[in-house]
Amino acid sequence: MKPLRSHPDLLLTQHIEQMRLAARAIWNGHTQTLHERCGDVWEWIDGAITFHDAGKGSEAFQIYIPAPDLYRGEKMLKAHTPLSLLCVLAHGREHRWDWPKTLALATLAAGHHSEFKTEEDLRAVCGGYSMSCVLERQLET
């Protein structure tokens, strides 16, 4: 399998590691008291980093990313945030995450290039017929 790209000049694994290092540096700048009282926060942050770009694994995104200006495929097929959201929901269900963690990570996956989504927005991301068709096609790849 060919390594997945995140950006034209960056592998997805490299991007995730860069994000994790930056978040860890910020987290380590906080007090020990915060770490003790909010230990699960780092787990959520790490999960958000892991899954925020999971949708970049789709075939359409991998065709698009080496040369974005040359991409002529369907715009929605290269969209990665809806597929990232779906990956969060599937993984959360499989690993029996509680609803607050699942909702937090799903919201981050769906909105990391825009704004945080309302419940209605989250339902629209994956719930509409046209998006369902896009997600089915992405999942096939």
Side-chain angles (χ1 to χ4, degrees), residues 15-62:
H15 172 60
I16 298 297
E17 186 57 27
Q18 289 174 349
M19 297 285 298
R20 192 167 277 119
L21 288 171
R24 178 58 79 179
I26 293 167
W27 177 253
N28 287 341
H30 288 284
T31 66
Q32 186 61 32
T33 303
L34 177 74
H35 294 188
E36 290 167 5
R37 289 185 182 168
C38 304
D40 59 338
V41 169
W42 175 253
E43 182 184 324
W44 288 24
I45 292 169
D46 192 60
I49 292 166
T50 299
F51 286 101
H52 83 281
D53 278 345
K56 288 183 175 181
S58 74
E59 183 178 58
F61 186 87
Q62 291 302 304

Short mmCIF file of all heavy atoms in Angstrom, two decimals, residues 15-62:
data_model
loop_
_atom_site.label_atom_id
_atom_site.label_comp_id
_atom_site.label_asym_id
_atom_site.label_seq_id
_atom_site.Cartn_x
_atom_site.Cartn_y
_atom_site.Cartn_z
N HIS A 15 2.04 14.40 9.47
CA HIS A 15 1.14 15.46 9.91
C HIS A 15 0.56 15.15 11.30
O HIS A 15 0.54 16.01 12.18
CB HIS A 15 0.01 15.65 8.89
CG HIS A 15 -1.07 16.57 9.33
ND1 HIS A 15 -0.84 17.90 9.64
CD2 HIS A 15 -2.40 16.37 9.50
CE1 HIS A 15 -1.99 18.47 9.99
NE2 HIS A 15 -2.95 17.56 9.91
N ILE A 16 0.12 13.92 11.49
CA ILE A 16 -0.44 13.52 12.78
C ILE A 16 0.63 13.65 13.88
O ILE A 16 0.34 14.16 14.97
CB ILE A 16 -0.98 12.07 12.72
CG1 ILE A 16 -2.12 11.95 11.71
CG2 ILE A 16 -1.40 11.57 14.10
CD1 ILE A 16 -3.34 12.77 12.01
N GLU A 17 1.84 13.24 13.59
CA GLU A 17 2.92 13.35 14.58
C GLU A 17 3.24 14.81 14.90
O GLU A 17 3.46 15.16 16.06
CB GLU A 17 4.17 12.61 14.10
CG GLU A 17 5.27 12.55 15.12
CD GLU A 17 4.87 11.90 16.45
OE1 GLU A 17 3.94 11.06 16.47
OE2 GLU A 17 5.48 12.24 17.48
N GLN A 18 3.25 15.66 13.89
CA GLN A 18 3.48 17.09 14.13
C GLN A 18 2.39 17.67 15.04
O GLN A 18 2.69 18.43 15.96
CB GLN A 18 3.52 17.86 12.82
CG GLN A 18 4.73 17.61 11.99
CD GLN A 18 4.65 18.28 10.62
OE1 GLN A 18 3.60 18.78 10.20
NE2 GLN A 18 5.77 18.28 9.91
N MET A 19 1.14 17.31 14.75
CA MET A 19 0.03 17.79 15.58
C MET A 19 0.17 17.29 17.02
O MET A 19 -0.04 18.04 17.97
CB MET A 19 -1.31 17.31 14.99
CG MET A 19 -1.63 17.84 13.62
SD MET A 19 -2.13 19.56 13.65
CE MET A 19 -3.60 19.47 14.65
N ARG A 20 0.53 16.01 17.15
CA ARG A 20 0.66 15.42 18.48
C ARG A 20 1.79 16.10 19.28
O ARG A 20 1.63 16.40 20.47
CB ARG A 20 0.90 13.92 18.35
CG ARG A 20 0.77 13.17 19.66
CD ARG A 20 0.69 11.66 19.46
NE ARG A 20 -0.68 11.30 19.12
CZ ARG A 20 -1.06 10.70 17.98
NH1 ARG A 20 -0.18 10.38 17.07
NH2 ARG A 20 -2.32 10.43 17.77
N LEU A 21 2.91 16.38 18.63
CA LEU A 21 4.03 17.05 19.31
C LEU A 21 3.64 18.47 19.74
O LEU A 21 3.97 18.90 20.85
CB LEU A 21 5.25 17.09 18.39
CG LEU A 21 5.98 15.77 18.18
CD1 LEU A 21 7.04 15.91 17.08
CD2 LEU A 21 6.61 15.28 19.48
N ALA A 22 2.94 19.20 18.88
CA ALA A 22 2.52 20.55 19.22
C ALA A 22 1.52 20.54 20.39
O ALA A 22 1.64 21.32 21.34
CB ALA A 22 1.89 21.24 18.00
N ALA A 23 0.56 19.63 20.33
CA ALA A 23 -0.44 19.54 21.40
C ALA A 23 0.22 19.12 22.72
O ALA A 23 -0.13 19.65 23.78
CB ALA A 23 -1.54 18.55 21.02
N ARG A 24 1.16 18.19 22.64
CA ARG A 24 1.86 17.74 23.85
C ARG A 24 2.65 18.90 24.47
O ARG A 24 2.67 19.06 25.70
CB ARG A 24 2.78 16.57 23.51
CG ARG A 24 3.59 16.03 24.67
CD ARG A 24 2.79 15.55 25.85
NE ARG A 24 2.23 14.25 25.65
CZ ARG A 24 1.50 13.62 26.56
NH1 ARG A 24 1.24 14.17 27.74
NH2 ARG A 24 0.98 12.44 26.32
N ALA A 25 3.27 19.73 23.65
CA ALA A 25 4.02 20.89 24.18
C ALA A 25 3.08 21.85 24.90
O ALA A 25 3.41 22.36 25.97
CB ALA A 25 4.74 21.60 23.04
N ILE A 26 1.90 22.08 24.33
CA ILE A 26 0.91 22.96 24.97
C ILE A 26 0.42 22.33 26.27
O ILE A 26 0.36 22.98 27.31
CB ILE A 26 -0.25 23.27 24.02
CG1 ILE A 26 0.24 24.11 22.84
CG2 ILE A 26 -1.40 23.97 24.75
CD1 ILE A 26 -0.73 24.21 21.69
N TRP A 27 0.09 21.05 26.21
CA TRP A 27 -0.40 20.32 27.39
C TRP A 27 0.64 20.35 28.51
O TRP A 27 0.31 20.59 29.67
CB TRP A 27 -0.75 18.89 27.01
CG TRP A 27 -1.20 18.02 28.14
CD1 TRP A 27 -0.49 17.01 28.73
CD2 TRP A 27 -2.45 18.06 28.84
NE1 TRP A 27 -1.22 16.43 29.73
CE2 TRP A 27 -2.43 17.06 29.81
CE3 TRP A 27 -3.58 18.86 28.71
CZ2 TRP A 27 -3.50 16.83 30.67
CZ3 TRP A 27 -4.64 18.63 29.57
CH2 TRP A 27 -4.59 17.63 30.53
N ASN A 28 1.90 20.13 28.16
CA ASN A 28 2.97 20.11 29.17
C ASN A 28 3.20 21.49 29.79
O ASN A 28 3.79 21.58 30.86
CB ASN A 28 4.26 19.57 28.57
CG ASN A 28 4.19 18.08 28.33
OD1 ASN A 28 3.36 17.38 28.90
ND2 ASN A 28 5.07 17.59 27.47
N GLY A 29 2.74 22.54 29.14
CA GLY A 29 2.87 23.89 29.69
C GLY A 29 1.87 24.19 30.79
O GLY A 29 1.98 25.19 31.48
N HIS A 30 0.89 23.30 30.96
CA HIS A 30 -0.11 23.50 32.01
C HIS A 30 0.36 22.88 33.33
O HIS A 30 1.30 22.09 33.37
CB HIS A 30 -1.45 22.89 31.58
CG HIS A 30 -2.11 23.68 30.50
ND1 HIS A 30 -2.76 24.87 30.73
CD2 HIS A 30 -2.20 23.46 29.17
CE1 HIS A 30 -3.22 25.35 29.59
NE2 HIS A 30 -2.90 24.51 28.63
N THR A 31 -0.32 23.22 34.38
CA THR A 31 0.08 22.79 35.72
C THR A 31 -0.22 21.31 35.96
O THR A 31 -1.09 20.72 35.33
CB THR A 31 -0.65 23.61 36.79
OG1 THR A 31 -2.05 23.29 36.73
CG2 THR A 31 -0.43 25.10 36.61
N GLN A 32 0.48 20.76 36.91
CA GLN A 32 0.26 19.39 37.33
C GLN A 32 -1.16 19.22 37.87
O GLN A 32 -1.78 18.18 37.70
CB GLN A 32 1.29 18.96 38.39
CG GLN A 32 1.23 17.51 38.78
CD GLN A 32 1.50 16.57 37.60
OE1 GLN A 32 2.25 16.89 36.68
NE2 GLN A 32 0.85 15.42 37.61
N THR A 33 -1.68 20.28 38.51
CA THR A 33 -3.04 20.23 39.04
C THR A 33 -4.04 19.98 37.92
O THR A 33 -4.94 19.14 38.05
CB THR A 33 -3.39 21.55 39.77
OG1 THR A 33 -2.43 21.76 40.80
CG2 THR A 33 -4.78 21.51 40.35
N LEU A 34 -3.88 20.68 36.80
CA LEU A 34 -4.77 20.46 35.67
C LEU A 34 -4.64 19.02 35.17
O LEU A 34 -5.64 18.36 34.91
CB LEU A 34 -4.47 21.43 34.53
CG LEU A 34 -5.31 21.21 33.28
CD1 LEU A 34 -6.74 21.69 33.50
CD2 LEU A 34 -4.70 21.88 32.08
N HIS A 35 -3.43 18.54 35.05
CA HIS A 35 -3.20 17.17 34.58
C HIS A 35 -3.90 16.16 35.49
O HIS A 35 -4.48 15.18 35.01
CB HIS A 35 -1.71 16.86 34.53
CG HIS A 35 -0.96 17.66 33.51
ND1 HIS A 35 0.35 17.40 33.20
CD2 HIS A 35 -1.31 18.71 32.72
CE1 HIS A 35 0.76 18.25 32.27
NE2 HIS A 35 -0.23 19.06 31.98
N GLU A 36 -3.84 16.39 36.79
CA GLU A 36 -4.46 15.46 37.74
C GLU A 36 -5.99 15.55 37.70
O GLU A 36 -6.67 14.53 37.75
CB GLU A 36 -3.96 15.77 39.16
CG GLU A 36 -2.50 15.40 39.35
CD GLU A 36 -1.90 15.98 40.62
OE1 GLU A 36 -2.64 16.60 41.43
OE2 GLU A 36 -0.69 15.81 40.82
N ARG A 37 -6.52 16.75 37.61
CA ARG A 37 -7.98 16.92 37.62
C ARG A 37 -8.63 16.59 36.28
O ARG A 37 -9.80 16.24 36.24
CB ARG A 37 -8.33 18.36 38.00
CG ARG A 37 -8.05 18.69 39.43
CD ARG A 37 -8.53 20.06 39.77
NE ARG A 37 -8.21 20.39 41.14
CZ ARG A 37 -8.30 21.59 41.65
NH1 ARG A 37 -8.72 22.60 40.92
NH2 ARG A 37 -7.98 21.81 42.90
N CYS A 38 -7.89 16.73 35.22
CA CYS A 38 -8.46 16.57 33.88
C CYS A 38 -7.63 15.58 33.05
O CYS A 38 -7.36 15.82 31.87
CB CYS A 38 -8.50 17.92 33.16
SG CYS A 38 -9.41 19.19 34.04
N GLY A 39 -7.25 14.49 33.65
CA GLY A 39 -6.41 13.50 32.98
C GLY A 39 -7.01 12.96 31.71
O GLY A 39 -6.30 12.67 30.75
N ASP A 40 -8.33 12.85 31.66
CA ASP A 40 -8.96 12.32 30.46
C ASP A 40 -8.93 13.31 29.30
O ASP A 40 -9.12 12.93 28.14
CB ASP A 40 -10.40 11.88 30.73
CG ASP A 40 -11.29 12.99 31.25
OD1 ASP A 40 -10.77 13.99 31.79
OD2 ASP A 40 -12.51 12.87 31.09
N VAL A 41 -8.64 14.58 29.59
CA VAL A 41 -8.59 15.58 28.53
C VAL A 41 -7.49 15.23 27.52
O VAL A 41 -7.70 15.32 26.32
CB VAL A 41 -8.39 17.00 29.10
CG1 VAL A 41 -8.08 18.00 28.00
CG2 VAL A 41 -9.62 17.43 29.88
N TRP A 42 -6.33 14.80 28.02
CA TRP A 42 -5.26 14.44 27.08
C TRP A 42 -5.70 13.28 26.18
O TRP A 42 -5.42 13.28 24.99
CB TRP A 42 -3.94 14.09 27.77
CG TRP A 42 -2.96 13.63 26.73
CD1 TRP A 42 -2.54 12.36 26.51
CD2 TRP A 42 -2.38 14.42 25.69
NE1 TRP A 42 -1.72 12.30 25.41
CE2 TRP A 42 -1.61 13.56 24.89
CE3 TRP A 42 -2.44 15.77 25.36
CZ2 TRP A 42 -0.89 14.01 23.78
CZ3 TRP A 42 -1.73 16.21 24.24
CH2 TRP A 42 -0.97 15.34 23.48
N GLU A 43 -6.40 12.32 26.73
CA GLU A 43 -6.91 11.20 25.93
C GLU A 43 -7.84 11.71 24.83
O GLU A 43 -7.77 11.24 23.69
CB GLU A 43 -7.65 10.21 26.84
CG GLU A 43 -8.17 8.99 26.13
CD GLU A 43 -8.97 8.09 27.04
OE1 GLU A 43 -8.64 7.97 28.23
OE2 GLU A 43 -9.96 7.52 26.54
N TRP A 44 -8.68 12.66 25.15
CA TRP A 44 -9.58 13.24 24.15
C TRP A 44 -8.79 14.01 23.10
O TRP A 44 -9.07 13.91 21.90
CB TRP A 44 -10.59 14.16 24.81
CG TRP A 44 -11.65 13.49 25.62
CD1 TRP A 44 -11.60 12.27 26.21
CD2 TRP A 44 -12.93 14.02 25.94
NE1 TRP A 44 -12.77 12.02 26.89
CE2 TRP A 44 -13.60 13.08 26.74
CE3 TRP A 44 -13.57 15.22 25.65
CZ2 TRP A 44 -14.88 13.28 27.23
CZ3 TRP A 44 -14.84 15.43 26.14
CH2 TRP A 44 -15.49 14.47 26.92
N ILE A 45 -7.82 14.80 23.53
CA ILE A 45 -6.99 15.57 22.60
C ILE A 45 -6.27 14.62 21.65
O ILE A 45 -6.25 14.81 20.44
CB ILE A 45 -6.00 16.48 23.35
CG1 ILE A 45 -6.74 17.59 24.08
CG2 ILE A 45 -4.95 17.05 22.40
CD1 ILE A 45 -5.89 18.37 25.07
N ASP A 46 -5.68 13.58 22.21
CA ASP A 46 -4.95 12.61 21.40
C ASP A 46 -5.90 11.92 20.41
O ASP A 46 -5.54 11.72 19.24
CB ASP A 46 -4.26 11.59 22.30
CG ASP A 46 -3.28 10.74 21.52
OD1 ASP A 46 -2.33 11.31 20.94
OD2 ASP A 46 -3.46 9.51 21.49
N GLY A 47 -7.08 11.59 20.83
CA GLY A 47 -8.07 11.00 19.93
C GLY A 47 -8.46 11.95 18.82
O GLY A 47 -8.59 11.55 17.65
N ALA A 48 -8.64 13.21 19.16
CA ALA A 48 -9.00 14.21 18.14
C ALA A 48 -7.88 14.35 17.12
O ALA A 48 -8.14 14.43 15.91
CB ALA A 48 -9.28 15.56 18.81
N ILE A 49 -6.65 14.35 17.58
CA ILE A 49 -5.51 14.43 16.66
C ILE A 49 -5.48 13.20 15.76
O ILE A 49 -5.31 13.31 14.55
CB ILE A 49 -4.19 14.57 17.45
CG1 ILE A 49 -4.14 15.93 18.15
CG2 ILE A 49 -2.99 14.37 16.54
CD1 ILE A 49 -3.08 16.05 19.22
N THR A 50 -5.66 12.05 16.33
CA THR A 50 -5.61 10.80 15.57
C THR A 50 -6.65 10.77 14.47
O THR A 50 -6.37 10.34 13.35
CB THR A 50 -5.80 9.60 16.52
OG1 THR A 50 -4.73 9.60 17.48
CG2 THR A 50 -5.82 8.29 15.77
N PHE A 51 -7.86 11.21 14.75
CA PHE A 51 -8.97 11.04 13.82
C PHE A 51 -9.33 12.26 12.98
O PHE A 51 -10.10 12.12 12.03
CB PHE A 51 -10.22 10.59 14.58
CG PHE A 51 -10.15 9.17 15.02
CD1 PHE A 51 -9.82 8.85 16.33
CD2 PHE A 51 -10.38 8.13 14.12
CE1 PHE A 51 -9.74 7.53 16.74
CE2 PHE A 51 -10.28 6.81 14.52
CZ PHE A 51 -9.96 6.51 15.83
N HIS A 52 -8.80 13.43 13.27
CA HIS A 52 -9.29 14.63 12.58
C HIS A 52 -9.11 14.56 11.07
O HIS A 52 -9.90 15.13 10.33
CB HIS A 52 -8.66 15.91 13.17
CG HIS A 52 -7.30 16.24 12.64
ND1 HIS A 52 -6.15 15.60 13.09
CD2 HIS A 52 -6.91 17.13 11.71
CE1 HIS A 52 -5.11 16.11 12.45
NE2 HIS A 52 -5.54 17.04 11.61
N ASP A 53 -8.12 13.86 10.59
CA ASP A 53 -7.89 13.76 9.14
C ASP A 53 -7.99 12.32 8.63
O ASP A 53 -7.47 12.01 7.56
CB ASP A 53 -6.51 14.32 8.79
CG ASP A 53 -6.50 15.83 8.65
OD1 ASP A 53 -7.59 16.43 8.54
OD2 ASP A 53 -5.41 16.43 8.64
N ALA A 54 -8.68 11.46 9.35
CA ALA A 54 -8.81 10.06 8.92
C ALA A 54 -9.42 9.96 7.53
O ALA A 54 -9.06 9.07 6.74
CB ALA A 54 -9.66 9.28 9.92
N GLY A 55 -10.30 10.87 7.18
CA GLY A 55 -10.95 10.85 5.88
C GLY A 55 -10.01 11.12 4.72
O GLY A 55 -10.38 10.91 3.55
N LYS A 56 -8.80 11.57 5.01
CA LYS A 56 -7.83 11.79 3.94
C LYS A 56 -7.35 10.48 3.33
O LYS A 56 -6.65 10.48 2.33
CB LYS A 56 -6.64 12.60 4.46
CG LYS A 56 -6.98 14.06 4.71
CD LYS A 56 -5.76 14.85 5.14
CE LYS A 56 -6.08 16.33 5.26
NZ LYS A 56 -4.90 17.12 5.66
N GLY A 57 -7.75 9.38 3.92
CA GLY A 57 -7.39 8.07 3.37
C GLY A 57 -8.21 7.68 2.16
O GLY A 57 -7.92 6.67 1.52
N SER A 58 -9.22 8.45 1.81
CA SER A 58 -10.05 8.09 0.65
C SER A 58 -9.23 8.20 -0.63
O SER A 58 -8.30 9.01 -0.75
CB SER A 58 -11.29 8.99 0.56
OG SER A 58 -10.93 10.28 0.11
N GLU A 59 -9.60 7.40 -1.60
CA GLU A 59 -8.91 7.40 -2.88
C GLU A 59 -8.97 8.77 -3.55
O GLU A 59 -7.96 9.26 -4.08
CB GLU A 59 -9.51 6.33 -3.79
CG GLU A 59 -8.81 6.20 -5.13
CD GLU A 59 -9.43 5.10 -5.96
OE1 GLU A 59 -10.65 5.16 -6.24
OE2 GLU A 59 -8.67 4.18 -6.32
N ALA A 60 -10.13 9.41 -3.53
CA ALA A 60 -10.28 10.71 -4.18
C ALA A 60 -9.36 11.75 -3.54
O ALA A 60 -8.75 12.56 -4.25
CB ALA A 60 -11.74 11.17 -4.12
N PHE A 61 -9.25 11.75 -2.22
CA PHE A 61 -8.37 12.72 -1.58
C PHE A 61 -6.92 12.45 -1.96
O PHE A 61 -6.15 13.38 -2.22
CB PHE A 61 -8.52 12.71 -0.05
CG PHE A 61 -7.72 13.81 0.60
CD1 PHE A 61 -8.28 15.07 0.77
CD2 PHE A 61 -6.41 13.61 0.99
CE1 PHE A 61 -7.54 16.10 1.33
CE2 PHE A 61 -5.66 14.63 1.55
CZ PHE A 61 -6.23 15.89 1.72
N GLN A 62 -6.54 11.19 -2.02
CA GLN A 62 -5.17 10.84 -2.37
C GLN A 62 -4.84 11.20 -3.82
O GLN A 62 -3.69 11.51 -4.14
CB GLN A 62 -4.89 9.37 -2.08
CG GLN A 62 -4.88 9.04 -0.59
CD GLN A 62 -3.83 9.85 0.17
OE1 GLN A 62 -2.65 9.83 -0.16
NE2 GLN A 62 -4.27 10.59 1.19
#
